[in-house]
Amino acid sequence: MKNINNGIFLSMLCLLLCLVHSRIAIDPFSFSHSLKAECLMKPPRSRVKQGLSLLSRSAKDDSDQEWEVEENGAIREMAQRIQLQQGIIYSFSAWVKLREGNNNKVGVVFRSENGRLVHGGEAKAKQGCWSLLKGGIVPNVSGPVDIFFESEDREAKISAKSLSLIQFSKEEWKLKQDQLIEKIRKNKVRFEVTYKNNTAVKNAVISLKQTKPSFLLGCAMNFWILQSEGYRKWFASRFAITSFTNEMKWYTTEKVRGQENYTAADSMLKFAEENEILVRGHTVLWDDPKMQPSWVKNIKDPEDVMNVTLNRINSVMKRYKGKLTGWDVVNENLHWDYFEKMLGVNASSRFYNLASKLDPDVTLFVNEYNTIENPEEVTATPVKVKDKMEEILAYQGNENIKGAIGAQGHFSPTQPNLAYMRSALDTLGSLGLPVWITELDMPKCPNQAKYIEEILREAYSHPAVEGIIIFAGPEVSGFDKLTLADKDFNSTETGDVIDKLLKEWHQKNSEIPNILSVDHENEEEDVSLPHGLYNVNVSHPQIKYLSTSLCLEVTKEMGPLQVVRVVINA
Ligand SMILES: *[C@@H]1O[C@H](CO)[C@@H](O)[C@H](O)[C@H]1NC(C)=O
Ligand SMILES: *[C@@H]1O[C@H](CO)[C@@H](O)[C@H](O)[C@H]1NC(C)=O
Ligand SMILES: *[C@@H]1O[C@H](CO)[C@@H](O)[C@H](O)[C@H]1NC(C)=O
Ligand SMILES: *[C@@H]1O[C@H](CO)[C@@H](O)[C@H](O)[C@H]1NC(C)=O
Ligand SMILES: *[C@@H]1O[C@H](CO)[C@@H](O)[C@H](O)[C@H]1NC(C)=O
Ligand SMILES: *[C@@H]1O[C@H](CO)[C@@H](O)[C@H](O)[C@H]1NC(C)=O
Ligand SMILES: *[C@@H]1O[C@H](CO)[C@@H](O)[C@H](O)[C@H]1NC(C)=O
């Protein structure tokens, strides 16, 4: 940043006066352009309907104008000073390409007056075609910022066009989330109740209860659950999926070489099975050298490391074959490289291959931190996590493994950058593989409940996300960041948020049946239902014999309006 001198800065400002004229911008909530992360010869012109586009006020449309990014050190600039307001969500987008080189990461950076840099998103830029860079900023102080582009490669020659910065109030953003949730997570369902002769049954009453949700909001658990009846009750009445924090890890199950002990994991799995709670396995291996069993750390002979590692993979995966919905295979293998250092550059890819042979039906996750939650990350950025997944899939024999991406989601105790999070999920989702938030938490802070709700809604309203597991529990569990209930199992403020969302998304604790009465001439009777399985009862307040029940599946594939015909035998 020191390389940015005022001379260049001024020329940059002149340049930018022209940029103000563009009215073309990408809708930050549109997933379509980033879906395949396509590099386009001619980027589409799409007009923004919502929000205020700050880089585009005039009617003159010069979005085809192409800007060469200056060469001045790490940060290459082509930007404009903009006044930002605290608490507003600013969504950024631009199309970028390289004039030389290929496949360089290009990022957008917001620099405040005191020189603080906030990274706001990244894309992999190519030569000869345009890549979409999305992201944004949610400033914690009001003030002016300058917008820059940067690349890891200091020599990179960047071109950019169609820059846009759209502002949203928190309420506007929430409205967009809600609209998306209606579209991607729910169907409108119309019940038509008739007699055999096709006449409508007036005033039929329909009650329905979701028996299985499609989208799962789950919660981690630990061994304390085996010792606390209260914890077990608290858990089983809420969650339909879990992950164990440490109990399946190698350092827990084989503390001493050759002496495996799966007692805790087995008992927790038994509890889960008895309560119809699905389990995501965590983790076969962990690439962090500090997280190996202590006896493994002392092995120097690579062949011996390979032997014990293969034994570990075989042991744990055969034991739980067919019992888990997914496995983190090599946890955090962008941040760390224990197995690569000991066993060669393709070690992880080999282990994913072996894992898929041992349990072909289980989803195999790459699981990393800082990918969606920390825009300042350099190692496990969205583009790099996506590259890693592609690298694993490209390894011989891995073409058809059931890959998935886990974003841990350990947020810091500050306002989350929702615009960045959305763009990160766009990138992760662009492979078309399932994306899960796997360890969502945030240290305690004054607005923790509010921030957690914003993050959960952001994930739920993103089409690539198939499930969320929070790292949380009641006080007795010792989860001290996200504590959802006190020692008497009374909900905390964050606990209330989780319960509210479970209910809103129709999950385990939504015991109250939805009651509606049908008069199917009226379109307003259409009910909006989250995808999943339902138990439906049809009855009539006056006609006692008129009563029937059925199972209903509400899925994306059924289309936006699903008509359910119930014919009464009378
Ligand atoms: C804003 O966030 C930055 C980075 O997290 C922090 O250093 C700074 O103190 C924050 N400012 C305020 C006013 O909270
Ligand atoms: C249809 O059947 C119901 C119940 O048997 C009867 O009450 C109703 O009058 C019939 N309607 C017509 C148009 O036949
Ligand atoms: C439907 O009726 C059955 C039997 O009476 C009952 O067990 C079930 O809870 C009812 N379902 C709903 C959604 O009301
Ligand atoms: C195995 O683990 C369980 C639970 O963690 C513990 O109670 C038990 O003593 C262990 N068994 C052995 C043989 O170490
Ligand atoms: C590794 O396992 C193979 C096959 O079981 C064995 O022949 C070899 O001696 C082992 N290597 C070491 C270093 O223990
Ligand atoms: C690693 O795997 C790639 C293919 O995915 C292959 O081209 C390369 O030669 C392998 N490297 C080693 C050291 O085995
Ligand atoms: C906590 O729960 C207990 C039992 O459910 C109840 O008696 C008590 O009043 C609650 N305490 C608070 C502070 O709400």
Side-chain angles (χ1 to χ4, degrees), residues 238-523:
R238 287 175 169 75
F239 299 107
I241 188 161
T242 189
S243 224
F244 307 161
T245 46
N246 299 321
E247 291 74 8
M248 282 187 177
K249 284 175 186 164
W250 194 5
Y251 66 59
T252 305
T253 63
E254 197 177 355
K255 287 198 172 97
V256 177
R257 182 170 184 163
Q259 294 180 21
E260 293 177 337
N261 183 348
Y262 287 101
T263 313
D266 285 354
S267 309
M268 286 162 71
L269 189 61
K270 182 162 172 283
F271 161 75
E273 282 170 345
E274 283 167 1
N275 290 280
E276 293 177 51
I277 298 163
L278 302 171
V279 180
R280 231 191 120 259
H282 175 74
T283 176
V284 180
L285 298 173
W286 192 345
D287 230 353
D288 185 345
K290 296 187 295 299
M291 298 301 173
Q292 309 310 322
S294 53
W295 57 272
V296 172
K297 291 182 200 166
N298 294 327
I299 305 179
K300 300 286 179 287
D301 178 4
E303 189 185 312
D304 202 8
V305 171
M306 184 57 104
N307 280 2
V308 296
T309 305
L310 292 178
N311 182 64
R312 156 66 182 176
I313 303 173
N314 275 285
S315 167
V316 75
M317 288 201 66
K318 283 180 181 163
R319 186 175 200 89
Y320 297 125
K321 183 178 159 119
K323 298 186 170 175
L324 307 177
T325 63
W327 258 123
D328 293 327
V329 181
V330 186
N331 195 35
E332 297 174 1
N333 62 347
L334 282 99
H335 274 100
W336 309 103
D337 57 0
Y338 172 77
F339 293 101
E340 283 70 19
K341 278 215 171 97
M342 295 302 286
L343 308 171
V345 291
N346 288 334
S348 290
S349 297
R350 277 189 66 179
F351 297 147
Y352 279 83
N353 186 273
L354 176 58
S356 84
K357 292 200 169 100
L358 288 171
D359 195 348
D361 296 328
V362 82
T363 310
L364 302 176
F365 282 83
V366 162
N367 191 48
E368 265 294 354
Y369 61 93
N370 280 354
T371 311
I372 59 165
E373 67 269 38
N374 186 357
E376 309 305 318
E377 172 67 13
V378 291
T379 306
T381 69
V383 165
K384 287 185 176 170
V385 170
K386 184 186 168 196
D387 283 353
K388 186 75 192 180
M389 189 79 241
E390 282 184 311
E391 178 195 318
I392 290 166
L393 294 172
Y395 185 73
Q396 196 187 4
N398 282 0
E399 304 77 23
N400 298 315
I401 68 169
K402 288 184 71 178
I405 295 177
Q408 294 181 4
H410 296 293
F411 283 80
S412 29
T414 51
Q415 169 64 51
N417 184 343
L418 301 177
Y420 178 83
M421 178 179 164
R422 179 157 290 272
S423 70
L425 290 171
D426 281 359
T427 302
L428 298 181
S430 65
L431 282 177
L433 299 174
V435 176
W436 279 67
I437 316 291
T438 55
E439 306 177 9
L440 176 62
D441 67 6
M442 170 185 281
K444 289 197 167 62
C445 61
N447 288 316
Q448 190 196 39
K450 191 175 115 204
Y451 295 156
I452 287 290
E453 181 169 354
E454 288 178 9
I455 293 163
L456 286 167
R457 289 186 185 281
E458 195 61 44
Y460 188 56
S461 63
H462 195 289
V465 179
E466 295 196 356
I468 303 171
I469 292 180
I470 51 176
F471 250 40
E475 200 175 303
V476 62
S477 69
F479 281 98
D480 54 4
K481 285 180 167 181
L482 267 190
T483 309
L484 302 183
D486 65 15
K487 62 180 186 344
D488 301 317
F489 298 95
N490 291 334
S491 270
T492 60
E493 202 187 343
T494 40
D496 286 339
V497 165
I498 300 302
D499 284 349
K500 178 177 77 179
L501 294 179
L502 285 169
K503 197 164 173 183
E504 197 178 309
W505 302 348
H506 274 250
Q507 301 199 359
K508 232 179 171 176
N509 67 346
S510 60
E511 293 294 323
I512 314 133
N514 246 316
I515 308 279
L516 59 144
S517 86
V518 179
D519 168 9
H520 61 76
E521 311 290 302
N522 191 350
E523 232 186 67

Side-chain angles (χ1 to χ4, degrees), residues 116-129:
R116 194 167 81 86
L117 302 177
V118 176
H119 292 84
E122 58 164 23
K124 195 188 246 182
K126 297 185 174 159
Q127 203 186 133
C129 60

Side-chain angles (χ1 to χ4, degrees), residues 72-86:
N72 64 342
I75 295 170
R76 291 142 201 288
E77 60 202 68
M78 184 193 71
Q80 178 181 19
R81 176 157 292 198
I82 288 182
Q83 190 69 31
L84 299 185
Q85 276 176 58
Q86 182 198 347

